[in-house]
Amino acid sequence: MQITVKLFATLAGHLPAGARHNAAELDVDDDATPATIIERLNLPREKCHLVLVNGVYVVPSQLESHRLKPGDALAMWPPVAGG
C-alpha cells in the first residue's frame, strides 16, 4: 500500500531521494505502523517527538500498534525549543 510521509525540521534529511516539499510517497507493507516507518527511514526514535497520522496525534505508546491504512499521511516533527 502507499502512504505519504512528511518529515519536518532536522528529520527532513532522512527522506528518500526524490522527496519534494518535505514529503515522499512510500510503498509499505499492509501491517506498517509509524514505528516501522521510523525504523525503515533510520530516524532516531527519540527525535520523533510529534507524530501525526492524517492530522491526529499518535501517542508514543501506540507507535508500534497503530496500523497505517492506504493513503494515510504520516507526519513527524522533532522536539521544538525556543525562546
Side-chain angles (χ1 to χ4, degrees):
M1 72 175 164
Q2 193 169 55
I3 65 165
T4 301
V5 176
K6 300 177 182 181
L7 301 179
F8 297 92
T10 56
L11 298 178
H14 291 270
L15 284 166
R20 296 183 49 153
H21 306 290
N22 288 10
E25 300 294 320
L26 291 182
D27 288 315
V28 300
D29 293 336
D30 290 341
D31 61 349
T33 65
T36 60
I37 304 306
I38 289 168
E39 183 177 321
R40 175 176 168 176
L41 295 177
N42 200 29
L43 294 165
R45 183 119 183 211
E46 69 279 0
K47 298 292 183 184
C48 298
H49 182 70
L50 179 61
V51 178
L52 305 176
V53 174
N54 300 325
V56 178
Y57 177 63
V58 178
V59 296
S61 63
Q62 293 180 347
L63 292 177
E64 293 179 5
S65 61
H66 184 98
R67 295 290 169 106
L68 298 170
K69 298 178 186 87
D72 275 354
L74 173 63
M76 292 182 265
W77 285 263
V80 177

